[in-house]
C-alpha cells in the first residue's frame, strides 16, 4: 500500500508539474533577402491550460529601434501568414506608437487544454546592420518579454546566395544579459548558422543571435528607399515643422493685410485731450482694451467724477467710499462714468468698496467693463482674431497628422510638457517686454518674433532640464524643436495680429503726447511752448488722466514742487490749497508731501476694488557590447 501511495504521489506531482502553460519549443528562421530585408518564420509550440492561453497567443513586435548612433528608426513589418497546427489562423493586428501586437485566434472560440503549434511568417526591413567592412544580422530571435518560460529555443540565420558567415555569437537571459547558455553550428551549405539554447529560458528571458558576412551580397538602399525611410523616421517632425511653416506664411499674409499698424504720427506734448476722450477711454486705448478687470480705468473714471464735483471719495482704513455729491445729469457723461453714476443712484447715492459689499462692487465692475467694451470695441483697435482661425486649423491638422503617422516619441513626449510650459511662460514674459515697441515696420515685427523665439527656446530648455532629464530632451531634439516652433508661431501671431484703426492710431499719438507732458519734470514742462501754468485746478483736472496712464507719481511730484515753491513765494492760490475738496481720508496734504498723498489716491481705489471683487469659482474636477534583447526583432507575447 505504501508503495502504491508513493507511485500515485509521483504520478500526480509529475502531472501537475507538466500542467503549467509554457512554450515547449520556439524555432526562429531568418532568411536575409538580397535587398537586405528579412523573411522570418517563427514556429512556436505551446501548451495551453486555458488560463492565459484561452483563445490563442499574441506576439509583440517592436517597430522602432535605436541604431549605433543613438537615432531611432522605424522598421517595416508585413504579416505574410499565420497558422495553427498547419491551418490558417485568424489574426488581428493592433498598432501602437513603438510596437504592434499580433493576436492569433478567434475571439469567439475557446481552445481546449492541450498542445498547439503556431507558425508566423512576416517580412521586415531596415533590420540589417551595415558597417564599412561587413553586414550584420543582430537579431533578438525570441523576444525578451514573453509571459511564459521557453523550454527550448533555436534560431537559424540563412544568408543570401553566395554569402558565408564570418563570425557569430549569441546571448541569453533577461534584457541586457550577456550570458551565453547556447551553442552554434554552421549549416553545411555554408551560408547560414543555427543556434540552440543549452538551458530552458525563464519568463522574460530570450535568445539573441549575431552573424556577420560580406556586405557585397546585399544591395545598398536606393535614394527612394532612403527618402521613404527618412519620412517614416521623422513623420512627427515633418508634420509639425510643415504645419509651422504653412501657418507662419499664412499668418504673415494675414498680418500684412490686417495686422500692420497704421503709420505713426509725430508725438507732440499736449496738455488736453479731444472732446469725449475720458480718462477711462485713454486707459482703454493705451492698453488696447481693458487691462485685467479694468480696475485702473475704473479708478480714473471715479476720480474724474470727483474732480467734476459729481462724487466725493472717502478713504478710511482699507475701504474707499464713493458718494454722490451733487445732482449731475448722467446723460452728458462719457459711457463709463455714466454707468458708474447711474449705479450709485440705484444704491441710494453711495457705496463702500470693500468685501462686505462684494455683490454691489461686482455689479459696478462688470457693468463698467461691459459699457466700455460695448461702445468702444473695434473702434480704436481690432484684435482680428478671426484671421487666426485658419492658422489654428493648420496647426491642429499638423498635430493630428503627427499623432497618426509619427512613431517612436518615447520619453521625448514627456520632455515636451515642461518645455512647452516653461517656453510659454518665457515667450509671454519676453513679449511683455517688447510689446510696447509699437512700429508698423516689418523688420521690427520680425525682430520681435526672433527675440521672443530665442528666449522661448532658452526657457523651454531650462524647463526640460529641471523637470525631465537631459537624455529625454536630447533623444529627439528635432521633435522638441518642431513642437516649440509650432507653438511660437501661434502664440506670437496671436499678439501680433491685432492692430489699431486709423482713428485709434491718431488717438494713440495724442495720448503719447499727453503722457510725455505728464511725465516730465516741472522745469521741462515750463519750457514747452504754450503750456498752461501749473495750478491746483490744472493739476486736479489732469490727475485722472495721469492715473489712467500710470504716471500719477511724476505728475504729482511736479505739482508738489510747484506748490512748495508757490507757498514759499506767498502765492495766494497755493497758500489756500489744503487738498482736493472731493476727497476725505487718511492722507496728509502738507506742501512737502502732497505729491505722495495725491498719487496714492488712484492706487487706493484700485486696491479696494481688487480686495472687494470676489474671486471666480471653478470646478475641481552585436559582437562588442552585445546582450540579450539587443538588435532587431525582439518583443514578446502571451496568451489571450
Amino acid at each position: 500500500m505504501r508503495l502504491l501511495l508513493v507511485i500515485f504521489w509521483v504520478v500526480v506531482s509529475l502531472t501537475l508539474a507538466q500542467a503549467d502553460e509554457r512554450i515547449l519549443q520556439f524555432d526562429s528562421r531568418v532568411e536575409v533577402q538580397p535587398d537586405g530585408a528579412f523573411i522570418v518564420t517563427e514556429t512556436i509550440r505551446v501548451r495551453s491550460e486555458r488560463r492565459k492561453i484561452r483563445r490563442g497567443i499574441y506576439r509583440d513586435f517592436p517597430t522602432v529601434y535605436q541604431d549605433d548612433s543613438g537615432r531611432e528608426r522605424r522598421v517595416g513589418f508585413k504579416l505574410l501568414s499565420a497558422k495553427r497546427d498547419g491551418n490558417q489562423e485568424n489574426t488581428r493586428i493592433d498598432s501602437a506608437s513603438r510596437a504592434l501586437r499580433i493576436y492569433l485566434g478567434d475571439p469567439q472560440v475557446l481552445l481546449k487544454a492541450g498542445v498547439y503549434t503556431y507558425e508566423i511568417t512576416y517580412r521586415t526591413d531596415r533590420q540589417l546592420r551595415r558597417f564599412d567592412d561587413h553586414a550584420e544580422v543582430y537579431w533578438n530571435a525570441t523576444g525578451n518579454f514573453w509571459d511564459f518560460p521557453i523550454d527550448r529555443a533555436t534560431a537559424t540565420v540563412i544568408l543570401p546566395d553566395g554569402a558565408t558567415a564570418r563570425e557569430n555569437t549569441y546571448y541569453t537571459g533577461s534584457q541586457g544579459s550577456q550570458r551565453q547558455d547556447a551553442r552554434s553550428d554552421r549549416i553545411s551549405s555554408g551560408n547560414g548558422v543555427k543556434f540552440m539554447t543549452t538551458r530552458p529560458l525563464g519568463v522574460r528571458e530570450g535568445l539573441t543571435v549575431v552573424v556577420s558576412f560580406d556586405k557585397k551580397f546585399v544591395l545598398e538602399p536606393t535614394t527612394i528607399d532612403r527618402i521613404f525611410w527618412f519620412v517614416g523616421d521623422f513623420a512627427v517632425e515633418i508634420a509639425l515643422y510643415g504645419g509651422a511653416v504653412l501657418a507662419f506664411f499664412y499668418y504673415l499674409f494675414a498680418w500684412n493685410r490686417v495686422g500692420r499698424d497704421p503709420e505713426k504720427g509725430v508725438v507732440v506734448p499736449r496738455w488736453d485731450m479731444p472732446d469725449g476722450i475720458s480718462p477711462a477711454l485713454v486707459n482703454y486705448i493705451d492698453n488696447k482694451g481693458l487691462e485685467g478687470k479694468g480696475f485702473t480705468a475704473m479708478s480714473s473714471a471715479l476720480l474724474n467724477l470727483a474732480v467734476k464735483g459729481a462724487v466725493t471719495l472717502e478713504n478710511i482704513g482699507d475701504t474707499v467710499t464713493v458718494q454722490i455729491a451733487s445732482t449731475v445729469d448722467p446723460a452728458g457723461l462719457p459711457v463709463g462714468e455714466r454707468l458708474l453714476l447711474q449705479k450709485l443712484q440705484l444704491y441710494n447715492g453711495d457705496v463702500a468698496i470693500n468685501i462686505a459689499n462684494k455683490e454691489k462692487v461686482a455689479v459696478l465692475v462688470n457693468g463698467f467693463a461691459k459699457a466700455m467694451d460695448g461702445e468702444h470695441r473695434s473702434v480704436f483697435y481690432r484684435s482680428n482674431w478671426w484671421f487666426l482661425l485658419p492658422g489654428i486649423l493648420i496647426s491642429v491638422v499638423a498635430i493630428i497628422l503627427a499623432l497618426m503617422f509619427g512613431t517612436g516619441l518615447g520619453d521625448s513626449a514627456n520632455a515636451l510638457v515642461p518645455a512647452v510650459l516653461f517656453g510659454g511662460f518665457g515667450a509671454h514674459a519676453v513679449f511683455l517686454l517688447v510689446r510696447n515697441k509699437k512700429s508698423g515696420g516689418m523688420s521690427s515685427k520680425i525682430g520681435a518674433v526672433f527675440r521672443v523665439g530665442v528666449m522661448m527656446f532658452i526657457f523651454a530648455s531650462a524647463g526640460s532640464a529641471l523637470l525631465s532629464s537631459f537624455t529625454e530632451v536630447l533623444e529627439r531634439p528635432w521633435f522638441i524643436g518642431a513642437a516649440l516652433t509650432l507653438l511660437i508661431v501661434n502664440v506670437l501671431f496671436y499678439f501680433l495680429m491685432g492692430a489699431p484703426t486709423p482713428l485709434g492710431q491718431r488717438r494713440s499719438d495724442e495720448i503719447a503726447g499727453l503722457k510725455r507732458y505728464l511725465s516730465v519734470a516741472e522745469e521741462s514742462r515750463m519750457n514747452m511752448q504754450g503750456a498752461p501754468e501749473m495750478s491746483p485746478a490744472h493739476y486736479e483736472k489732469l490727475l485722472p488722466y495721469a492715473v489712467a496712464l500710470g504716471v500719477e507719481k511724476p505728475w504729482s511730484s511736479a505739482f508738489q514742487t510747484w506748490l512748495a515753491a508757490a507757498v514759499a513765494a506767498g502765492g495766494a492760490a497755493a497758500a489756500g490749497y489744503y487738498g482736493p475738496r472731493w476727497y476725505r481720508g487718511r492722507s496728509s496734504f502738507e506742501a512737502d508731501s502732497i505729491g505722495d498723498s495725491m498719487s496714492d489716491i488712484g492706487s487706493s481705489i484700485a486696491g479696494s476694488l481688487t480686495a472687494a471683487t470676489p474671486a471666480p469659482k471653478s470646478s475641481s474636477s552585436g559582437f562588442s557590447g552585445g546582450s540579450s534583447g539587443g538588435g532587431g526583432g525582439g518583443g514578446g507575447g502571451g496568451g489571450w
Side-chain angles (χ1 to χ4, degrees):
M1 181 62 68
R2 284 196 297 267
L3 179 61
L4 288 175
L5 289 174
V6 170
I7 294 173
F8 177 76
W9 180 83
V10 170
V11 171
V12 171
S13 298
L14 290 175
T15 302
L16 292 174
Q18 292 177 351
D20 60 328
E21 293 182 320
R22 62 198 306 111
I23 297 175
L24 304 174
Q25 180 81 32
F26 193 117
D27 298 322
S28 176
R29 180 182 176 87
V30 181
E31 300 178 46
V32 182
Q33 304 300 297
D35 62 355
F38 295 175
I39 301 293
V40 182
T41 301
E42 296 178 351
T43 304
I44 308 170
R45 187 165 173 257
V46 303
R47 181 170 58 233
S48 166
E49 295 297 333
R50 302 188 65 185
R51 290 196 294 271
K52 289 185 177 181
I53 305 176
R54 295 169 55 81
R55 297 171 178 83
I57 65 171
Y58 63 81
R59 176 73 164 101
D60 292 337
F61 187 83
T63 53
V64 173
Y65 80 95
Q66 194 173 76
D67 63 15
D68 295 333
S69 65
R71 173 181 168 185
E72 288 190 339
R73 300 188 178 193
R74 181 181 181 181
V75 301
F77 180 91
K78 181 180 181 180
L79 182 63
L80 301 179
S81 71
K83 299 178 181 180
R84 175 167 60 87
D85 295 336
N87 300 313
Q88 293 296 323
E89 180 69 309
N90 291 323
T91 59
R92 184 182 87 245
I93 299 178
D94 289 350
S95 298
S97 64
R98 302 176 67 86
L100 53 83
R101 174 170 289 184
I102 311 162
Y103 287 91
L104 293 87
D106 190 331
Q108 306 300 323
V109 177
L110 292 176
L111 299 175
K112 296 179 180 180
V115 175
Y116 299 92
T117 300
Y118 292 89
E119 183 182 286
I120 308 169
T121 303
Y122 56 87
R123 177 187 173 93
T124 180
D125 58 18
R126 302 190 72 187
Q127 303 279 5
L128 185 68
R129 303 207 168 193
R130 301 171 187 267
F131 299 92
D132 292 339
D133 59 346
H134 71 279
E136 183 178 294
V137 178
Y138 183 14
W139 186 248
N140 187 349
T142 60
N144 287 62
F145 297 97
W146 280 94
D147 291 339
F148 312 115
I150 302 174
D151 289 349
R152 187 170 183 268
T154 70
T156 304
V157 177
I158 306 299
L159 304 177
D161 291 342
T164 57
R166 288 185 178 179
E167 296 179 274
N168 70 83
T169 190
Y170 41 82
Y171 305 98
T172 59
S174 58
Q175 187 79 11
S177 170
Q178 293 185 322
R179 294 179 61 175
Q180 294 186 308
D181 297 318
R183 64 186 179 87
S184 65
D185 294 322
R186 292 177 181 265
I187 297 176
S188 59
S189 60
N191 71 329
V193 182
K194 183 174 183 178
F195 303 84
M196 295 147 285
T197 56
T198 57
R199 71 165 180 87
L201 300 173
V203 175
R204 298 184 177 271
E205 290 187 338
L207 168 65
T208 296
V209 300
V210 188
V211 178
S212 67
F213 63 98
D214 195 325
K215 68 176 185 178
K216 71 180 180 180
F217 293 99
V218 288
L219 299 174
E220 288 293 324
T222 66
T223 301
I224 298 299
D225 290 335
R226 296 183 186 277
I227 291 174
F228 276 106
W229 292 347
F230 179 85
V231 171
D233 291 343
F234 294 99
V236 173
E237 291 84 348
I238 291 173
L240 295 179
Y241 273 124
V245 170
L246 288 177
F248 175 80
F249 281 106
Y250 163 75
Y251 283 138
L252 199 61
F253 164 78
W255 174 84
N256 192 54
R257 180 179 175 186
V258 301
R260 196 184 273 272
D261 291 357
E263 193 68 30
K264 293 181 65 174
V266 178
V267 176
V268 179
R270 56 182 301 144
W271 34 89
D272 59 0
M273 290 301 294
D275 291 340
I277 308 300
S278 66
L281 184 53
V282 164
N283 179 272
Y284 188 92
I285 296 172
D286 192 52
N287 290 289
K288 303 180 178 66
L290 290 176
E291 189 175 33
K293 294 186 177 181
F295 291 162
T296 301
M298 188 170 168
S299 299
S300 66
L302 288 171
L303 272 175
N304 205 40
L305 284 173
V307 170
K308 292 175 180 178
V311 302
T312 60
L313 304 175
E314 184 177 274
N315 185 14
I316 299 176
D318 294 328
T319 297
V320 172
T321 301
V322 185
Q323 296 177 323
I324 294 179
S326 63
T327 302
V328 176
D329 183 10
L333 295 174
V335 58
E337 297 174 17
R338 181 168 68 247
L339 183 282
L340 292 174
L341 197 59
Q342 290 172 342
K343 294 298 182 183
L344 285 171
Q345 291 172 348
L346 293 176
Y347 295 151
N348 299 320
D350 69 85
V351 63
I353 303 176
N354 55 30
I355 194 64
N357 281 329
K358 60 183 180 181
E359 289 82 7
K360 291 182 179 179
V361 175
V363 171
L364 284 175
V365 171
N366 294 333
F368 177 81
K370 289 180 180 178
M372 293 294 292
D373 266 335
E375 184 160 314
H376 304 305
R377 182 181 295 159
S378 300
V379 175
F380 304 98
Y381 181 84
R382 294 191 180 98
S383 62
N384 299 317
W385 62 267
W386 53 92
F387 283 91
L388 296 170
L389 296 180
I392 295 174
L393 179 61
I394 292 172
S395 302
V396 170
V397 170
I399 294 172
I400 293 174
L401 290 175
L403 294 175
M404 288 176 58
F405 302 113
T407 62
L409 295 183
D411 293 330
S412 299
N414 298 327
L416 180 63
V417 175
V420 170
L421 290 176
F422 277 72
F425 288 133
H428 181 67
V430 177
F431 183 79
L432 293 177
L433 298 177
V434 302
R435 65 183 296 187
N436 292 324
K437 187 172 182 178
K438 302 167 185 173
S439 171
M442 174 69 75
S443 61
S444 178
K445 294 291 184 181
I446 297 300
V449 169
F450 279 106
R451 284 195 297 274
V452 177
V454 169
M455 291 303 298
M456 187 173 183
F457 178 78
I458 294 173
F459 275 88
S461 300
S464 296
L466 288 172
L467 302 183
S468 302
S469 69
F470 283 109
T471 303
E472 292 173 348
V473 180
L474 295 177
E475 276 183 356
R476 294 192 71 164
W478 291 106
F479 165 66
I480 302 296
L484 288 177
T485 300
L486 187 62
L487 178 65
I488 288 171
V489 168
N490 282 277
V491 170
L492 290 180
F493 278 99
Y494 169 79
F495 291 108
L496 296 173
M497 194 62 70
T501 63
L503 174 61
Q505 188 61 59
R506 290 198 299 272
R507 293 291 179 260
S508 293
D509 295 338
E510 293 165 349
I511 290 170
L514 176 63
K515 189 172 185 178
R516 180 176 297 180
Y517 172 77
L518 295 171
S519 302
V520 299
E522 179 62 18
E523 296 81 1
S524 300
R525 190 180 297 107
M526 292 172 61
N527 294 327
M528 295 179 180
Q529 186 175 1
E533 292 186 6
M534 179 65 81
S535 67
H538 182 59
Y539 165 74
E540 290 184 14
K541 177 183 177 181
L542 293 185
L543 179 61
Y545 291 93
V547 170
L549 294 172
V551 293
E552 64 270 26
K553 288 190 179 294
W555 177 239
S556 298
S557 178
F559 176 63
Q560 177 177 307
T561 301
W562 173 85
L563 184 62
V567 169
Y577 184 78
Y578 298 102
R581 300 175 182 177
W582 40 265
Y583 177 85
R584 297 189 299 273
R586 58 188 178 181
S587 297
S588 170
F589 294 104
E590 301 296 333
D592 59 351
S593 63
I594 192 170
D596 293 334
S597 300
M598 293 296 287
S599 64
D600 287 341
I601 294 176
S603 59
S604 295
I605 301 173
S608 296
L609 287 168
T610 302
T613 304
K617 296 181 179 180
S618 61
S619 302
S620 300
S621 40
F623 286 104
S624 177
S627 64
S628 176
W640 68 292

